[in-house]
């Protein structure tokens, strides 16, 4: 993993995030030297979903209303079925994601989290992958869906599932180190 010292990354999630899709990027990016904050709707803890049942709780570092895209280099959106479905109706979360995009910062989403990219309009005209059940939603929102492990398009990083986490985390690091991204059409 590349050195991310001096970089700050937001991981936005709520109850029902897929355990590995939050914990692996959190640990990997921290181990690379980044400051990583878990951001959620409320203070305290959020509980993960671990494949077939509730998983472990993780401490929330900040709430959505306490942060700004100005303070971060990238935003990471874990999937799971529950987490992005709950977050995609939260205007404050969608506004935060859009702020990262508008500021040409890295936006990374895995598994079902591209639902959040659909809600924000970010997928339109962009190359994207996702968990297969989200494919039709991405296409209907104007996304150019690909059946690939990880897809990168001008600082937008998407990945299919937890099996792809090492490649997903590596792409996040690479895109952060590239700096701000022009948002030309795919």
């Amino acid at each position: 993993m590349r050195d991310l010292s001096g970089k700050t990354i937001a991981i936005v999630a709520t109850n029902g995030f897929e355990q590995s899709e939050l914990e692996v990027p959190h640990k990997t990016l921290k181990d690379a030297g980044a400051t990583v904050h878990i951001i959620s709707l409320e203070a305290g803890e959020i509980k993960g979903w671990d494949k077939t049942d509730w998983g472990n709780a993780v401490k929330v570092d900040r709430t959505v209303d306490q942060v700004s895209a100005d303070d971060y280099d990238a935003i990471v959106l874990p999937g799971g079925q529950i987490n992005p479905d709950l977050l995609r109706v939260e205007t404050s979360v969608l506004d935060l994601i859009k702020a990262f995009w508008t500021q040409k910062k890295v936006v990374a989403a895995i598994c079902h989290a591209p639902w959040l990219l659909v809600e924000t309009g970010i997928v339109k005209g962009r190359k994207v992958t996702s968990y297969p059940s989200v494919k039709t939603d991405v296409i209907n929102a104007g996304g150019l869906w690909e059946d690939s492990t990880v897809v990168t398009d001008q600082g937008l990083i998407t990945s299919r599932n937890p099996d792809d986490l090492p490649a997903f985390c590596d792409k996040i690091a690479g895109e952060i180190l590239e700096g701000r991204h022009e948002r030309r059409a795919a």
Side-chain angles (χ1 to χ4, degrees), residues 31-95:
D31 288 351
T35 298
V36 183
H37 295 148
I38 306 296
I39 298 164
S40 194
L41 299 168
E42 296 177 9
E45 293 182 335
I46 52 176
K47 194 161 190 162
W49 185 264
D50 196 3
K51 298 179 185 77
T52 60
D53 202 353
W54 289 103
N56 301 319
V58 298
K59 181 184 173 295
V60 171
D61 297 307
R62 308 240 187 329
T63 58
V64 172
D65 62 339
Q66 295 174 320
V67 300
S68 164
D70 299 339
D71 303 326
Y72 296 91
D73 297 290
I75 187 170
V76 177
L77 306 168
Q81 292 173 301
I82 301 166
N83 172 62
D85 196 39
L86 293 174
L87 292 178
R88 68 182 174 162
V89 297
E90 296 292 336
T91 304
S92 61
V93 172
L94 300 177
D95 288 345

Side-chain angles (χ1 to χ4, degrees), residues 105-149:
K105 294 181 177 181
V106 173
V107 175
I110 186 168
C111 193
H112 288 76
W115 269 337
L116 294 162
L117 306 177
V118 166
E119 291 299 325
T120 59
I122 290 171
V123 298
K124 187 173 184 171
R126 298 276 162 213
K127 294 184 284 184
V128 180
T129 194
S130 66
Y131 194 74
S133 65
V134 180
K135 173 183 176 181
T136 301
D137 297 327
V138 167
I139 291 168
N140 287 342
L144 309 172
W145 193 85
E146 295 182 14
D147 186 14
S148 300
T149 302

